[in-house]
Structures are given as structure tokens and as C-alpha cells.
Amino acid sequence: MARLAAGVVLVTAREAPLTEDGPQGEDAGMTATAFLSVSLDPPLVLVSVRTGSRMDDLLDEQPLWGASLLTESQRHIAGRFAMKGRLSDRLLFEDVPYRRGELTDAPLVRGALATMECRTEQRVPAGDHTLVIGRVLAVELPPAEGGPLAYFKGRYRRLE
């Protein structure tokens, strides 16, 4: 599967949804290369999350999440959120430029090719991963510099 090129997406969520008292809980995020469109009507996407991971546990409790399609200049963000034994979630976001999703309160990376706000519709166990199918609630296509970030043969790459 290392020979299958994939786009790189940052999937993010907040531990608890926005309340009348303001945001609750910490932000969390993970780098994903198994992310795809499932349906246009209704708009559904799928992300594969390692079973038992922090994001798997969080997305089991919190149905609202975001996805940022990263550009080639954002490989440092992808690498940071993909590290094993990584920094605490609070430090991961420290110098990442992002805005809050209006519907999900999830961090959405500024300068990404596209951002989506999603709500989990279904979770499907699949081996050592969980397939999380989300309904796309909102999409933003901001101006972005450069092309998409790809992952191929174990490395982040630019598409030529």
C-alpha cells in the first residue's frame, strides 16, 4: 500500500462541543492519508482511524469534527500530528494557524486547500482501524498557495 499515493488530511475535533459558556475541552488532531469521498448526495466522507487511538476514542464520544486538506507547504503540520509519542495535544496546535469551525468548533487549518466540518453518521470496525463516515455540514475553499500534499512510499511529497 506504500505505493498508493494519497492526499494528506488533518482531522481535528474538540473534546466537547461548544456550549453557551464557551468552548469546552482540549483540541485533538491526527494526520490521515486514508480519507475519501463516499457520497455526493448526501455529502459523506470517510476517514480511517486506528482503533484505540486518542482520535478513535474522541470521535466515539464527540460526533463533530473537521478535516483540512493540506498543501505541500504544510508538510510540517502533517509530520507533527503523525508522530508517535508526540507532544501533548495542547502543544501540537501551538503555532498552527487555524480558525474554529462555525458548526463544529473544530480547529480548521488556515491556508489548507479545503476545509470541511463533519458530523459522524456511522462507525464501522475494520481490522485494527475504525472507518468513520461523516456527513459534510460545511465546506470552505479558501485561496491556497501551491498544490496538494501527498504521501507516497513512506514520505510526504509534492505532486509534480
CSV table of all heavy atoms in Angstrom, one decimal, residues 43 61 65 93 142 160:
chain,number,residue,atom,x,y,z
A,43,PRO,N,-23.8,14.4,1.1
A,43,PRO,CA,-22.3,14.5,1.1
A,43,PRO,C,-21.7,13.8,2.3
A,43,PRO,O,-21.9,14.2,3.4
A,43,PRO,CB,-22.1,16.0,1.2
A,43,PRO,CG,-23.3,16.6,1.8
A,43,PRO,CD,-24.4,15.7,1.4
A,61,GLU,N,-17.0,9.6,21.1
A,61,GLU,CA,-17.8,10.4,22.1
A,61,GLU,C,-18.2,11.7,21.5
A,61,GLU,O,-19.3,12.2,21.8
A,61,GLU,CB,-16.9,10.7,23.3
A,61,GLU,CG,-16.5,9.5,24.1
A,61,GLU,CD,-15.5,9.8,25.2
A,61,GLU,OE1,-15.3,11.0,25.5
A,61,GLU,OE2,-15.0,8.9,25.8
A,65,TRP,N,-16.5,17.0,14.0
A,65,TRP,CA,-15.1,17.1,13.7
A,65,TRP,C,-14.8,17.8,12.4
A,65,TRP,O,-15.8,18.2,11.7
A,65,TRP,CB,-14.5,15.7,13.6
A,65,TRP,CG,-15.2,14.6,12.8
A,65,TRP,CD1,-16.3,13.9,13.2
A,65,TRP,CD2,-14.9,14.2,11.5
A,65,TRP,NE1,-16.7,13.1,12.2
A,65,TRP,CE2,-15.9,13.2,11.1
A,65,TRP,CE3,-13.9,14.5,10.6
A,65,TRP,CZ2,-15.9,12.6,9.9
A,65,TRP,CZ3,-13.9,13.9,9.3
A,65,TRP,CH2,-14.8,12.9,9.0
A,93,PHE,N,-1.0,22.2,18.6
A,93,PHE,CA,-1.6,23.3,17.9
A,93,PHE,C,-1.0,24.7,18.2
A,93,PHE,O,-1.4,25.7,17.6
A,93,PHE,CB,-3.1,23.4,18.4
A,93,PHE,CG,-4.0,22.3,17.9
A,93,PHE,CD1,-4.2,21.2,18.6
A,93,PHE,CD2,-4.6,22.4,16.6
A,93,PHE,CE1,-5.0,20.1,18.1
A,93,PHE,CE2,-5.4,21.4,16.1
A,93,PHE,CZ,-5.6,20.3,16.9
A,142,PRO,N,-10.8,28.1,0.6
A,142,PRO,CA,-10.1,29.4,0.6
A,142,PRO,C,-9.0,29.4,-0.4
A,142,PRO,O,-8.6,28.4,-0.9
A,142,PRO,CB,-9.5,29.3,2.0
A,142,PRO,CG,-9.3,27.9,2.4
A,142,PRO,CD,-10.5,27.2,1.6
A,160,GLU,N,3.9,16.6,-8.8
A,160,GLU,CA,4.6,17.4,-9.9
A,160,GLU,C,3.6,17.4,-11.1
A,160,GLU,O,3.0,16.5,-11.4
A,160,GLU,CB,5.9,16.7,-10.3
A,160,GLU,CG,6.8,16.6,-9.1
A,160,GLU,CD,7.5,17.9,-8.7
A,160,GLU,OE1,7.7,18.7,-9.6
A,160,GLU,OE2,7.8,18.0,-7.6
